[in-house]
Amino acid sequence: MRNVVVIGGGIVGLSVAWELSQRGQDVTVLEKEARWAAHQTGHNSNVVHAGLYYKPGSFKARMSVGGNRSIVDFARQYGVPVEVCGKLVVATREEEIPALDTLAERAEANGVPAKRITPAEAREYEPEVSCVAALRVESTGIIDFPAVCAALVRLLDEADADLRLNTPALGIRPARGGGVEVATGSEVLHADALVNCAGLHADRVAELAGLTPSARIVPFRGEYYELKPERRHLVRGLIYPVPDPTLPFLGVHLTRMLDGSVHAGPNAVLALRREGYRWADVSVKDLADVARFPGAWKLARKYAYPTGLEEVLRSFSKKRFAASLAQLVPAVTEDDIVRHGSGVRAQALRPDGSLVDDFLIESTKDQVHVLNAPSPAATSALEIAKYIADQVTD
């Protein structure tokens, strides 16, 4: 039996820990917050993605298609709320149809059940939707990802894993004779292997371990509204726009949640702190890290205008946000939405300014570092865990 320390108590870290424990490993999980799933996992849209958008053969394509099945099976086995409801991706303008056709081709290549439908057929699913063409994706679902984490914690506890909240990793170094040592402030843990699933701080943990990561985390905040209860009838399921292929974000969309509420969003703006859920959340250290990173300036030159400016304006303007939603469902007005909350996406960025568009997992002796695991990482968590466990146990 090997002893493995997993840093990070979100859905990826907990899934890795559970997979390792199933393989007979002795697992310790370190989470710096006072609760599990405190950040990305606890602030996302709770959508089980189908694997539609991703380049065939990529980690994201393979792991989201497999993850779609495995996370739904896990939820049903352990009593976690889940519903496979399908979704619509809609082209609202003729010029979006080629991109919609490309999505249909990717769906077929990735093994995702999806079909091109007419506007009349789209309105059979969503009577209020506006489109010139649409793609119906049957395997998309909605789930309670924090509840998945709670189930994983119960399973790990039953397996006698060492689960530690309020325990940041403050120092990491190779141990004499192999393995690693992890300082937590109160003690030094000795482990045969380390897995870094620290999300928004994954690059910093990698540096703490002596690595020079190939990408840096730049945080982007996504802000949500929700439809007022009396207007929820406008949306029956999930309605997405055709995404801009040059951006890593899917665009503002509408999602009916398990409790019947309808969430709208997110937009995407630079967060002023790695865990900055509001404009008022500012970290001088985090901003300085962004400012010192050449890739951030190259990204800004490419996207600041008009894309970045529009996202910032939409952040401050409820009217603009509602107008974006009205492109999908014209009946939605500014009076129909109220602010709901936000999440922060840990987006990995390379020094040349390019966005890392796939999961990025780097390994060294006795260590595995998950350096980029944004959406669909929650959907793919159990598959990511298998991949990482293979590396650790090998």
Side-chain angles (χ1 to χ4, degrees), residues 217-371:
I217 296 298
V218 176
F220 285 89
R221 183 174 65 256
E223 299 160 327
Y224 289 89
Y225 282 81
E226 68 175 342
L227 294 186
K228 292 179 179 178
E230 63 271 21
R231 300 295 279 171
R232 291 174 179 174
H233 67 276
L234 296 175
V235 178
R236 290 181 174 180
L238 282 68
I239 307 173
Y240 280 62
V242 177
D244 184 338
T246 66
L247 298 174
F249 312 110
L250 298 180
V252 169
H253 47 271
L254 291 151
T255 306
R256 177 171 287 275
M257 309 304 289
L258 288 163
D259 64 1
S261 63
V262 178
H263 290 186
N267 63 342
V269 296
L270 179 68
L272 306 183
R273 179 180 175 183
R274 291 214 179 186
E275 289 144 0
Y277 299 103
R278 305 168 302 162
W279 283 107
D281 295 334
V282 180
S283 165
V284 174
K285 180 181 186 299
D286 291 350
L287 284 175
D289 280 353
V290 172
R292 283 193 296 263
F293 182 50
W297 292 101
K298 293 175 182 177
L299 180 73
R301 283 195 292 270
K302 185 175 182 181
Y303 292 115
Y305 182 83
T307 303
L309 177 60
E310 176 57 33
E311 293 292 318
V312 171
L313 291 174
R314 188 161 54 186
S315 174
F316 287 100
S317 171
K318 183 180 178 183
K319 182 177 181 179
R320 283 178 178 267
F321 210 107
S324 296
L325 299 173
Q327 292 178 21
L328 307 174
V329 177
V332 174
T333 70
E334 182 181 356
D335 292 335
D336 295 331
I337 59 175
V338 292
R339 283 199 178 269
H340 178 71
S342 63
V344 180
R345 174 189 177 110
Q347 176 62 53
L349 183 63
R350 299 191 188 279
D352 64 2
S354 61
L355 296 159
V356 179
D357 62 358
D358 202 359
F359 299 146
L360 178 62
I361 302 170
E362 296 185 353
S363 301
T364 186
K365 179 176 172 55
D366 302 323
Q367 300 179 29
V368 180
H369 296 266
V370 183
L371 296 175

Side-chain angles (χ1 to χ4, degrees), residues 106-170:
R106 284 204 166 178
E108 183 176 5
N110 291 340
V112 175
K115 64 177 180 179
R116 172 81 177 271
I117 61 176
T118 66
E121 291 170 323
R123 285 190 289 273
E124 291 178 9
Y125 294 102
E126 296 287 352
E128 299 291 338
V129 77
S130 173
C131 66
V132 295
L135 197 65
R136 175 66 182 174
V137 186
E138 294 296 341
S139 56
T140 301
I142 48 176
I143 196 171
D144 187 338
F145 281 125
V148 172
C149 290
L152 287 167
V153 168
R154 289 195 300 271
L155 291 167
L156 286 163
D157 193 49
E158 291 169 3
D160 294 324
D162 186 0
L163 303 175
R164 304 190 184 193
L165 294 170
N166 297 304
T167 310
L170 303 178

Side-chain angles (χ1 to χ4, degrees), residues 34-57:
R35 59 187 174 90
W36 307 106
H39 292 296
Q40 290 187 104
T41 307
H43 292 82
N44 71 26
S45 60
N46 282 330
V47 173
V48 180
H49 290 286
L52 171 72
Y53 301 102
Y54 317 116
K55 182 180 178 181

Side-chain angles (χ1 to χ4, degrees), residues 15-27 74 77-78 152 155-156 159 382 385-386:
S15 296
V16 169
W18 187 58
E19 181 67 29
L20 288 169
S21 71
Q22 288 187 299
R23 299 189 188 194
Q25 309 301 303
D26 185 12
V27 179
F74 178 94
Q77 181 176 355
Y78 294 104
L152 287 167
L155 291 167
L156 286 163
L382 297 174
K386 293 173 186 176

